[in-house]
Amino acid sequence: MTLFTVHSIDSAPAGSKARLEAVQKAWGFTPKLQGTLAESPLALSAYDGLFTAVAAETTFSPAELQLVYLTVSVLHACEYCTMGHTWLARNAHLDEGVIQALRNRALVADARLQALRLFTETVVRERGFAGDAAVDAFLAAGFTKAQVLEVVTIIAVKTLSNYTNHLTHTPKEGFMSDPALAWTA
């Protein structure tokens, strides 16, 4: 198995240092995912830039945003991101029943949130070829055309992180040792 370095600001390639400094300032620590992505200044910049833009510009509520992130992470069988977004979803006050339904691939009781989850799953599974009926159902649930495209953008963010974690075996964060966050694919 090829080992990847989880870079600190000091060990990172020159092109990643400033971005890691910004990440550490924003998060209060350097997440191991970003430390791993720092191996490639392009990968770190792409992921962090897109993640930051989504957080700042999405029209989804914080809980809805975490629902999409968690849905994608579960579908991609990414343990690191599923645990991380479980923690973030709780902080965004996403209902615990919804979080558990997402983690267990069960039906979400709230019809609007289930529509968001179903649309996200369909786009991921069908690699964008979700079809007009899926878009129409999503819009009928009260979402917007802009949010159709936001789901695609959020999927792109999670694809970058989920695939990175699969390929590099990103170590878990310390907070992920909490048994309440444990999840296996």
Side-chain angles (χ1 to χ4, degrees), residues 108-145:
V108 171
D110 180 288
R112 178 178 164 82
L113 295 180
Q114 176 62 16
L116 177 55
R117 181 257 194 99
L118 182 59
F119 182 70
T120 301
E121 286 180 344
T122 302
V123 172
V124 171
R125 275 197 317 272
E126 300 302 324
R127 297 175 309 198
F129 293 101
D132 293 339
V135 173
D136 291 345
F138 184 67
L139 297 174
F143 295 101
T144 68
K145 291 177 185 175

PDB file of all heavy atoms in Angstrom, residues 108-145:
ATOM      1  N   VAL A 108     -36.384   8.808   4.808  1.00  0.00           N
ATOM      2  CA  VAL A 108     -36.455   9.999   5.661  1.00  0.00           C
ATOM      3  C   VAL A 108     -37.927  10.369   5.767  1.00  0.00           C
ATOM      4  O   VAL A 108     -38.623  10.504   4.749  1.00  0.00           O
ATOM      5  CB  VAL A 108     -35.633  11.159   5.053  1.00  0.00           C
ATOM      6  CG1 VAL A 108     -35.867  12.457   5.813  1.00  0.00           C
ATOM      7  CG2 VAL A 108     -34.152  10.810   5.022  1.00  0.00           C
ATOM      8  N   ALA A 109     -38.430  10.528   6.980  1.00  0.00           N
ATOM      9  CA  ALA A 109     -39.855  10.771   7.211  1.00  0.00           C
ATOM     10  C   ALA A 109     -40.326  12.109   6.638  1.00  0.00           C
ATOM     11  O   ALA A 109     -41.436  12.211   6.126  1.00  0.00           O
ATOM     12  CB  ALA A 109     -40.170  10.682   8.702  1.00  0.00           C
ATOM     13  N   ASP A 110     -39.507  13.134   6.706  1.00  0.00           N
ATOM     14  CA  ASP A 110     -39.859  14.454   6.194  1.00  0.00           C
ATOM     15  C   ASP A 110     -39.834  14.403   4.658  1.00  0.00           C
ATOM     16  O   ASP A 110     -38.796  14.149   4.052  1.00  0.00           O
ATOM     17  CB  ASP A 110     -38.853  15.483   6.729  1.00  0.00           C
ATOM     18  CG  ASP A 110     -39.129  16.886   6.242  1.00  0.00           C
ATOM     19  OD1 ASP A 110     -38.892  17.164   5.048  1.00  0.00           O
ATOM     20  OD2 ASP A 110     -39.573  17.716   7.061  1.00  0.00           O
ATOM     21  N   ALA A 111     -40.976  14.662   4.023  1.00  0.00           N
ATOM     22  CA  ALA A 111     -41.107  14.506   2.570  1.00  0.00           C
ATOM     23  C   ALA A 111     -40.160  15.423   1.795  1.00  0.00           C
ATOM     24  O   ALA A 111     -39.577  15.002   0.780  1.00  0.00           O
ATOM     25  CB  ALA A 111     -42.552  14.756   2.141  1.00  0.00           C
ATOM     26  N   ARG A 112     -39.999  16.649   2.234  1.00  0.00           N
ATOM     27  CA  ARG A 112     -39.108  17.587   1.523  1.00  0.00           C
ATOM     28  C   ARG A 112     -37.657  17.113   1.606  1.00  0.00           C
ATOM     29  O   ARG A 112     -36.935  17.102   0.615  1.00  0.00           O
ATOM     30  CB  ARG A 112     -39.269  18.991   2.098  1.00  0.00           C
ATOM     31  CG  ARG A 112     -38.350  20.020   1.450  1.00  0.00           C
ATOM     32  CD  ARG A 112     -38.594  21.402   2.045  1.00  0.00           C
ATOM     33  NE  ARG A 112     -37.527  22.329   1.755  1.00  0.00           N
ATOM     34  CZ  ARG A 112     -37.379  23.007   0.635  1.00  0.00           C
ATOM     35  NH1 ARG A 112     -38.243  22.865  -0.335  1.00  0.00           N
ATOM     36  NH2 ARG A 112     -36.370  23.842   0.476  1.00  0.00           N
ATOM     37  N   LEU A 113     -37.232  16.716   2.799  1.00  0.00           N
ATOM     38  CA  LEU A 113     -35.855  16.248   2.958  1.00  0.00           C
ATOM     39  C   LEU A 113     -35.632  14.925   2.219  1.00  0.00           C
ATOM     40  O   LEU A 113     -34.554  14.694   1.661  1.00  0.00           O
ATOM     41  CB  LEU A 113     -35.503  16.122   4.434  1.00  0.00           C
ATOM     42  CG  LEU A 113     -35.486  17.439   5.219  1.00  0.00           C
ATOM     43  CD1 LEU A 113     -35.125  17.182   6.670  1.00  0.00           C
ATOM     44  CD2 LEU A 113     -34.550  18.456   4.584  1.00  0.00           C
ATOM     45  N   GLN A 114     -36.652  14.068   2.186  1.00  0.00           N
ATOM     46  CA  GLN A 114     -36.542  12.826   1.424  1.00  0.00           C
ATOM     47  C   GLN A 114     -36.406  13.134  -0.070  1.00  0.00           C
ATOM     48  O   GLN A 114     -35.640  12.471  -0.773  1.00  0.00           O
ATOM     49  CB  GLN A 114     -37.743  11.907   1.678  1.00  0.00           C
ATOM     50  CG  GLN A 114     -37.757  10.638   0.849  1.00  0.00           C
ATOM     51  CD  GLN A 114     -36.580   9.697   1.093  1.00  0.00           C
ATOM     52  OE1 GLN A 114     -35.865   9.798   2.086  1.00  0.00           O
ATOM     53  NE2 GLN A 114     -36.370   8.783   0.166  1.00  0.00           N
ATOM     54  N   ALA A 115     -37.102  14.152  -0.553  1.00  0.00           N
ATOM     55  CA  ALA A 115     -36.984  14.546  -1.960  1.00  0.00           C
ATOM     56  C   ALA A 115     -35.561  15.033  -2.271  1.00  0.00           C
ATOM     57  O   ALA A 115     -35.001  14.703  -3.327  1.00  0.00           O
ATOM     58  CB  ALA A 115     -38.006  15.630  -2.295  1.00  0.00           C
ATOM     59  N   LEU A 116     -34.982  15.796  -1.353  1.00  0.00           N
ATOM     60  CA  LEU A 116     -33.602  16.265  -1.519  1.00  0.00           C
ATOM     61  C   LEU A 116     -32.650  15.089  -1.517  1.00  0.00           C
ATOM     62  O   LEU A 116     -31.746  14.998  -2.365  1.00  0.00           O
ATOM     63  CB  LEU A 116     -33.251  17.263  -0.410  1.00  0.00           C
ATOM     64  CG  LEU A 116     -31.835  17.813  -0.382  1.00  0.00           C
ATOM     65  CD1 LEU A 116     -31.447  18.459  -1.699  1.00  0.00           C
ATOM     66  CD2 LEU A 116     -31.688  18.804   0.784  1.00  0.00           C
ATOM     67  N   ARG A 117     -32.834  14.182  -0.604  1.00  0.00           N
ATOM     68  CA  ARG A 117     -31.992  13.001  -0.525  1.00  0.00           C
ATOM     69  C   ARG A 117     -32.126  12.137  -1.780  1.00  0.00           C
ATOM     70  O   ARG A 117     -31.149  11.707  -2.370  1.00  0.00           O
ATOM     71  CB  ARG A 117     -32.377  12.214   0.719  1.00  0.00           C
ATOM     72  CG  ARG A 117     -31.592  10.972   0.970  1.00  0.00           C
ATOM     73  CD  ARG A 117     -32.369   9.704   0.592  1.00  0.00           C
ATOM     74  NE  ARG A 117     -31.695   8.572   1.160  1.00  0.00           N
ATOM     75  CZ  ARG A 117     -32.055   7.981   2.277  1.00  0.00           C
ATOM     76  NH1 ARG A 117     -33.094   8.405   2.952  1.00  0.00           N
ATOM     77  NH2 ARG A 117     -31.381   6.951   2.714  1.00  0.00           N
ATOM     78  N   LEU A 118     -33.372  11.893  -2.213  1.00  0.00           N
ATOM     79  CA  LEU A 118     -33.618  11.054  -3.380  1.00  0.00           C
ATOM     80  C   LEU A 118     -33.027  11.672  -4.641  1.00  0.00           C
ATOM     81  O   LEU A 118     -32.413  10.975  -5.459  1.00  0.00           O
ATOM     82  CB  LEU A 118     -35.121  10.817  -3.544  1.00  0.00           C
ATOM     83  CG  LEU A 118     -35.537   9.903  -4.696  1.00  0.00           C
ATOM     84  CD1 LEU A 118     -34.920   8.516  -4.547  1.00  0.00           C
ATOM     85  CD2 LEU A 118     -37.050   9.807  -4.755  1.00  0.00           C
ATOM     86  N   PHE A 119     -33.185  12.979  -4.802  1.00  0.00           N
ATOM     87  CA  PHE A 119     -32.609  13.637  -5.978  1.00  0.00           C
ATOM     88  C   PHE A 119     -31.090  13.520  -5.962  1.00  0.00           C
ATOM     89  O   PHE A 119     -30.472  13.181  -6.975  1.00  0.00           O
ATOM     90  CB  PHE A 119     -33.040  15.111  -6.044  1.00  0.00           C
ATOM     91  CG  PHE A 119     -32.505  15.810  -7.255  1.00  0.00           C
ATOM     92  CD1 PHE A 119     -32.980  15.492  -8.524  1.00  0.00           C
ATOM     93  CD2 PHE A 119     -31.525  16.778  -7.134  1.00  0.00           C
ATOM     94  CE1 PHE A 119     -32.476  16.123  -9.652  1.00  0.00           C
ATOM     95  CE2 PHE A 119     -31.018  17.415  -8.252  1.00  0.00           C
ATOM     96  CZ  PHE A 119     -31.493  17.096  -9.518  1.00  0.00           C
ATOM     97  N   THR A 120     -30.485  13.757  -4.815  1.00  0.00           N
ATOM     98  CA  THR A 120     -29.028  13.645  -4.697  1.00  0.00           C
ATOM     99  C   THR A 120     -28.577  12.232  -5.040  1.00  0.00           C
ATOM    100  O   THR A 120     -27.629  12.046  -5.832  1.00  0.00           O
ATOM    101  CB  THR A 120     -28.575  14.020  -3.272  1.00  0.00           C
ATOM    102  OG1 THR A 120     -28.990  15.360  -2.988  1.00  0.00           O
ATOM    103  CG2 THR A 120     -27.073  13.912  -3.115  1.00  0.00           C
ATOM    104  N   GLU A 121     -29.226  11.233  -4.464  1.00  0.00           N
ATOM    105  CA  GLU A 121     -28.862   9.837  -4.744  1.00  0.00           C
ATOM    106  C   GLU A 121     -28.999   9.509  -6.226  1.00  0.00           C
ATOM    107  O   GLU A 121     -28.138   8.840  -6.800  1.00  0.00           O
ATOM    108  CB  GLU A 121     -29.742   8.877  -3.940  1.00  0.00           C
ATOM    109  CG  GLU A 121     -29.410   8.819  -2.479  1.00  0.00           C
ATOM    110  CD  GLU A 121     -30.310   7.839  -1.719  1.00  0.00           C
ATOM    111  OE1 GLU A 121     -31.375   7.420  -2.244  1.00  0.00           O
ATOM    112  OE2 GLU A 121     -29.937   7.507  -0.581  1.00  0.00           O
ATOM    113  N   THR A 122     -30.063   9.988  -6.828  1.00  0.00           N
ATOM    114  CA  THR A 122     -30.295   9.701  -8.242  1.00  0.00           C
ATOM    115  C   THR A 122     -29.222  10.329  -9.113  1.00  0.00           C
ATOM    116  O   THR A 122     -28.692   9.684 -10.028  1.00  0.00           O
ATOM    117  CB  THR A 122     -31.704  10.184  -8.658  1.00  0.00           C
ATOM    118  OG1 THR A 122     -32.671   9.533  -7.837  1.00  0.00           O
ATOM    119  CG2 THR A 122     -31.992   9.863 -10.118  1.00  0.00           C
ATOM    120  N   VAL A 123     -28.867  11.567  -8.844  1.00  0.00           N
ATOM    121  CA  VAL A 123     -27.820  12.235  -9.620  1.00  0.00           C
ATOM    122  C   VAL A 123     -26.500  11.482  -9.484  1.00  0.00           C
ATOM    123  O   VAL A 123     -25.800  11.260 -10.472  1.00  0.00           O
ATOM    124  CB  VAL A 123     -27.675  13.719  -9.214  1.00  0.00           C
ATOM    125  CG1 VAL A 123     -26.467  14.359  -9.884  1.00  0.00           C
ATOM    126  CG2 VAL A 123     -28.951  14.490  -9.563  1.00  0.00           C
ATOM    127  N   VAL A 124     -26.153  11.066  -8.265  1.00  0.00           N
ATOM    128  CA  VAL A 124     -24.896  10.330  -8.055  1.00  0.00           C
ATOM    129  C   VAL A 124     -24.942   8.985  -8.774  1.00  0.00           C
ATOM    130  O   VAL A 124     -24.037   8.656  -9.541  1.00  0.00           O
ATOM    131  CB  VAL A 124     -24.602  10.126  -6.550  1.00  0.00           C
ATOM    132  CG1 VAL A 124     -23.422   9.177  -6.345  1.00  0.00           C
ATOM    133  CG2 VAL A 124     -24.332  11.456  -5.866  1.00  0.00           C
ATOM    134  N   ARG A 125     -25.979   8.204  -8.526  1.00  0.00           N
ATOM    135  CA  ARG A 125     -26.064   6.856  -9.116  1.00  0.00           C
ATOM    136  C   ARG A 125     -26.103   6.879 -10.641  1.00  0.00           C
ATOM    137  O   ARG A 125     -25.518   6.026 -11.294  1.00  0.00           O
ATOM    138  CB  ARG A 125     -27.299   6.118  -8.590  1.00  0.00           C
ATOM    139  CG  ARG A 125     -27.074   5.412  -7.284  1.00  0.00           C
ATOM    140  CD  ARG A 125     -28.149   4.364  -6.993  1.00  0.00           C
ATOM    141  NE  ARG A 125     -29.497   4.797  -7.302  1.00  0.00           N
ATOM    142  CZ  ARG A 125     -30.303   5.456  -6.466  1.00  0.00           C
ATOM    143  NH1 ARG A 125     -29.897   5.736  -5.256  1.00  0.00           N
ATOM    144  NH2 ARG A 125     -31.503   5.817  -6.833  1.00  0.00           N
ATOM    145  N   GLU A 126     -26.785   7.876 -11.179  1.00  0.00           N
ATOM    146  CA  GLU A 126     -26.958   7.945 -12.633  1.00  0.00           C
ATOM    147  C   GLU A 126     -25.887   8.815 -13.304  1.00  0.00           C
ATOM    148  O   GLU A 126     -25.989   9.090 -14.491  1.00  0.00           O
ATOM    149  CB  GLU A 126     -28.361   8.459 -12.973  1.00  0.00           C
ATOM    150  CG  GLU A 126     -29.478   7.579 -12.431  1.00  0.00           C
ATOM    151  CD  GLU A 126     -29.413   6.155 -12.912  1.00  0.00           C
ATOM    152  OE1 GLU A 126     -29.025   5.915 -14.076  1.00  0.00           O
ATOM    153  OE2 GLU A 126     -29.722   5.247 -12.101  1.00  0.00           O
ATOM    154  N   ARG A 127     -24.898   9.249 -12.507  1.00  0.00           N
ATOM    155  CA  ARG A 127     -23.789  10.061 -13.013  1.00  0.00           C
ATOM    156  C   ARG A 127     -24.275  11.280 -13.793  1.00  0.00           C
ATOM    157  O   ARG A 127     -23.759  11.623 -14.844  1.00  0.00           O
ATOM    158  CB  ARG A 127     -22.837   9.212 -13.840  1.00  0.00           C
ATOM    159  CG  ARG A 127     -22.188   8.122 -13.006  1.00  0.00           C
ATOM    160  CD  ARG A 127     -21.360   7.218 -13.836  1.00  0.00           C
ATOM    161  NE  ARG A 127     -22.174   6.776 -14.963  1.00  0.00           N
ATOM    162  CZ  ARG A 127     -21.930   5.731 -15.714  1.00  0.00           C
ATOM    163  NH1 ARG A 127     -20.884   5.014 -15.492  1.00  0.00           N
ATOM    164  NH2 ARG A 127     -22.712   5.414 -16.708  1.00  0.00           N
ATOM    165  N   GLY A 128     -25.307  11.916 -13.242  1.00  0.00           N
ATOM    166  CA  GLY A 128     -25.852  13.123 -13.837  1.00  0.00           C
ATOM    167  C   GLY A 128     -27.023  12.890 -14.765  1.00  0.00           C
ATOM    168  O   GLY A 128     -27.793  13.810 -15.035  1.00  0.00           O
ATOM    169  N   PHE A 129     -27.196  11.676 -15.259  1.00  0.00           N
ATOM    170  CA  PHE A 129     -28.315  11.370 -16.160  1.00  0.00           C
ATOM    171  C   PHE A 129     -29.565  11.017 -15.358  1.00  0.00           C
ATOM    172  O   PHE A 129     -30.171   9.964 -15.550  1.00  0.00           O
ATOM    173  CB  PHE A 129     -27.937  10.214 -17.101  1.00  0.00           C
ATOM    174  CG  PHE A 129     -26.862  10.560 -18.082  1.00  0.00           C
ATOM    175  CD1 PHE A 129     -25.555  10.159 -17.853  1.00  0.00           C
ATOM    176  CD2 PHE A 129     -27.148  11.300 -19.219  1.00  0.00           C
ATOM    177  CE1 PHE A 129     -24.551  10.473 -18.759  1.00  0.00           C
ATOM    178  CE2 PHE A 129     -26.145  11.623 -20.124  1.00  0.00           C
ATOM    179  CZ  PHE A 129     -24.842  11.209 -19.894  1.00  0.00           C
ATOM    180  N   ALA A 130     -29.962  11.921 -14.461  1.00  0.00           N
ATOM    181  CA  ALA A 130     -31.079  11.664 -13.553  1.00  0.00           C
ATOM    182  C   ALA A 130     -32.419  11.659 -14.285  1.00  0.00           C
ATOM    183  O   ALA A 130     -33.351  10.999 -13.844  1.00  0.00           O
ATOM    184  CB  ALA A 130     -31.092  12.700 -12.435  1.00  0.00           C
ATOM    185  N   GLY A 131     -32.519  12.406 -15.365  1.00  0.00           N
ATOM    186  CA  GLY A 131     -33.745  12.455 -16.150  1.00  0.00           C
ATOM    187  C   GLY A 131     -34.668  13.587 -15.727  1.00  0.00           C
ATOM    188  O   GLY A 131     -34.580  14.101 -14.615  1.00  0.00           O
ATOM    189  N   ASP A 132     -35.541  13.930 -16.654  1.00  0.00           N
ATOM    190  CA  ASP A 132     -36.474  15.034 -16.416  1.00  0.00           C
ATOM    191  C   ASP A 132     -37.427  14.754 -15.266  1.00  0.00           C
ATOM    192  O   ASP A 132     -37.779  15.662 -14.513  1.00  0.00           O
ATOM    193  CB  ASP A 132     -37.271  15.325 -17.693  1.00  0.00           C
ATOM    194  CG  ASP A 132     -36.397  15.883 -18.809  1.00  0.00           C
ATOM    195  OD1 ASP A 132     -35.302  16.409 -18.510  1.00  0.00           O
ATOM    196  OD2 ASP A 132     -36.817  15.784 -19.975  1.00  0.00           O
ATOM    197  N   ALA A 133     -37.855  13.507 -15.115  1.00  0.00           N
ATOM    198  CA  ALA A 133     -38.800  13.183 -14.043  1.00  0.00           C
ATOM    199  C   ALA A 133     -38.178  13.449 -12.675  1.00  0.00           C
ATOM    200  O   ALA A 133     -38.860  13.958 -11.770  1.00  0.00           O
ATOM    201  CB  ALA A 133     -39.254  11.724 -14.150  1.00  0.00           C
ATOM    202  N   ALA A 134     -36.896  13.149 -12.510  1.00  0.00           N
ATOM    203  CA  ALA A 134     -36.222  13.404 -11.222  1.00  0.00           C
ATOM    204  C   ALA A 134     -36.118  14.905 -10.963  1.00  0.00           C
ATOM    205  O   ALA A 134     -36.355  15.361  -9.839  1.00  0.00           O
ATOM    206  CB  ALA A 134     -34.838  12.759 -11.210  1.00  0.00           C
ATOM    207  N   VAL A 135     -35.781  15.668 -11.991  1.00  0.00           N
ATOM    208  CA  VAL A 135     -35.697  17.123 -11.834  1.00  0.00           C
ATOM    209  C   VAL A 135     -37.080  17.685 -11.512  1.00  0.00           C
ATOM    210  O   VAL A 135     -37.233  18.503 -10.600  1.00  0.00           O
ATOM    211  CB  VAL A 135     -35.103  17.793 -13.095  1.00  0.00           C
ATOM    212  CG1 VAL A 135     -35.175  19.314 -12.997  1.00  0.00           C
ATOM    213  CG2 VAL A 135     -33.651  17.346 -13.310  1.00  0.00           C
ATOM    214  N   ASP A 136     -38.089  17.236 -12.240  1.00  0.00           N
ATOM    215  CA  ASP A 136     -39.448  17.728 -12.008  1.00  0.00           C
ATOM    216  C   ASP A 136     -39.924  17.414 -10.587  1.00  0.00           C
ATOM    217  O   ASP A 136     -40.542  18.255  -9.932  1.00  0.00           O
ATOM    218  CB  ASP A 136     -40.415  17.133 -13.032  1.00  0.00           C
ATOM    219  CG  ASP A 136     -40.173  17.655 -14.446  1.00  0.00           C
ATOM    220  OD1 ASP A 136     -39.468  18.676 -14.607  1.00  0.00           O
ATOM    221  OD2 ASP A 136     -40.687  17.021 -15.399  1.00  0.00           O
ATOM    222  N   ALA A 137     -39.642  16.216 -10.099  1.00  0.00           N
ATOM    223  CA  ALA A 137     -40.036  15.833  -8.734  1.00  0.00           C
ATOM    224  C   ALA A 137     -39.321  16.702  -7.701  1.00  0.00           C
ATOM    225  O   ALA A 137     -39.915  17.111  -6.701  1.00  0.00           O
ATOM    226  CB  ALA A 137     -39.753  14.353  -8.488  1.00  0.00           C
ATOM    227  N   PHE A 138     -38.057  16.985  -7.941  1.00  0.00           N
ATOM    228  CA  PHE A 138     -37.273  17.833  -7.045  1.00  0.00           C
ATOM    229  C   PHE A 138     -37.870  19.245  -7.000  1.00  0.00           C
ATOM    230  O   PHE A 138     -38.070  19.811  -5.918  1.00  0.00           O
ATOM    231  CB  PHE A 138     -35.819  17.853  -7.534  1.00  0.00           C
ATOM    232  CG  PHE A 138     -34.865  18.615  -6.673  1.00  0.00           C
ATOM    233  CD1 PHE A 138     -34.551  18.189  -5.396  1.00  0.00           C
ATOM    234  CD2 PHE A 138     -34.244  19.760  -7.149  1.00  0.00           C
ATOM    235  CE1 PHE A 138     -33.642  18.884  -4.597  1.00  0.00           C
ATOM    236  CE2 PHE A 138     -33.330  20.460  -6.365  1.00  0.00           C
ATOM    237  CZ  PHE A 138     -33.037  20.013  -5.098  1.00  0.00           C
ATOM    238  N   LEU A 139     -38.182  19.779  -8.164  1.00  0.00           N
ATOM    239  CA  LEU A 139     -38.782  21.116  -8.218  1.00  0.00           C
ATOM    240  C   LEU A 139     -40.168  21.123  -7.575  1.00  0.00           C
ATOM    241  O   LEU A 139     -40.525  22.068  -6.866  1.00  0.00           O
ATOM    242  CB  LEU A 139     -38.849  21.604  -9.664  1.00  0.00           C
ATOM    243  CG  LEU A 139     -37.499  21.799 -10.366  1.00  0.00           C
ATOM    244  CD1 LEU A 139     -37.710  22.149 -11.835  1.00  0.00           C
ATOM    245  CD2 LEU A 139     -36.641  22.836  -9.668  1.00  0.00           C
ATOM    246  N   ALA A 140     -40.932  20.065  -7.789  1.00  0.00           N
ATOM    247  CA  ALA A 140     -42.278  19.965  -7.199  1.00  0.00           C
ATOM    248  C   ALA A 140     -42.227  19.897  -5.678  1.00  0.00           C
ATOM    249  O   ALA A 140     -43.183  20.284  -5.003  1.00  0.00           O
ATOM    250  CB  ALA A 140     -43.008  18.747  -7.761  1.00  0.00           C
ATOM    251  N   ALA A 141     -41.097  19.444  -5.128  1.00  0.00           N
ATOM    252  CA  ALA A 141     -40.936  19.372  -3.667  1.00  0.00           C
ATOM    253  C   ALA A 141     -40.606  20.737  -3.068  1.00  0.00           C
ATOM    254  O   ALA A 141     -40.448  20.859  -1.850  1.00  0.00           O
ATOM    255  CB  ALA A 141     -39.849  18.360  -3.312  1.00  0.00           C
ATOM    256  N   GLY A 142     -40.490  21.760  -3.924  1.00  0.00           N
ATOM    257  CA  GLY A 142     -40.259  23.114  -3.426  1.00  0.00           C
ATOM    258  C   GLY A 142     -38.841  23.630  -3.611  1.00  0.00           C
ATOM    259  O   GLY A 142     -38.505  24.703  -3.125  1.00  0.00           O
ATOM    260  N   PHE A 143     -38.015  22.866  -4.297  1.00  0.00           N
ATOM    261  CA  PHE A 143     -36.653  23.323  -4.564  1.00  0.00           C
ATOM    262  C   PHE A 143     -36.626  24.114  -5.872  1.00  0.00           C
ATOM    263  O   PHE A 143     -37.610  24.153  -6.608  1.00  0.00           O
ATOM    264  CB  PHE A 143     -35.699  22.122  -4.587  1.00  0.00           C
ATOM    265  CG  PHE A 143     -35.589  21.451  -3.245  1.00  0.00           C
ATOM    266  CD1 PHE A 143     -36.290  20.279  -2.975  1.00  0.00           C
ATOM    267  CD2 PHE A 143     -34.811  21.997  -2.227  1.00  0.00           C
ATOM    268  CE1 PHE A 143     -36.220  19.666  -1.732  1.00  0.00           C
ATOM    269  CE2 PHE A 143     -34.738  21.406  -0.983  1.00  0.00           C
ATOM    270  CZ  PHE A 143     -35.438  20.230  -0.732  1.00  0.00           C
ATOM    271  N   THR A 144     -35.502  24.752  -6.148  1.00  0.00           N
ATOM    272  CA  THR A 144     -35.385  25.638  -7.309  1.00  0.00           C
ATOM    273  C   THR A 144     -34.461  25.058  -8.368  1.00  0.00           C
ATOM    274  O   THR A 144     -33.682  24.130  -8.096  1.00  0.00           O
ATOM    275  CB  THR A 144     -34.834  27.004  -6.881  1.00  0.00           C
ATOM    276  OG1 THR A 144     -33.459  26.833  -6.461  1.00  0.00           O
ATOM    277  CG2 THR A 144     -35.644  27.628  -5.747  1.00  0.00           C
ATOM    278  N   LYS A 145     -34.521  25.660  -9.541  1.00  0.00           N
ATOM    279  CA  LYS A 145     -33.605  25.263 -10.618  1.00  0.00           C
ATOM    280  C   LYS A 145     -32.152  25.527 -10.201  1.00  0.00           C
ATOM    281  O   LYS A 145     -31.274  24.736 -10.514  1.00  0.00           O
ATOM    282  CB  LYS A 145     -33.934  26.021 -11.901  1.00  0.00           C
ATOM    283  CG  LYS A 145     -35.242  25.607 -12.524  1.00  0.00           C
ATOM    284  CD  LYS A 145     -35.539  26.464 -13.753  1.00  0.00           C
ATOM    285  CE  LYS A 145     -36.907  26.121 -14.312  1.00  0.00           C
ATOM    286  NZ  LYS A 145     -37.261  27.029 -15.422  1.00  0.00           N
TER     287      LYS A 145
END
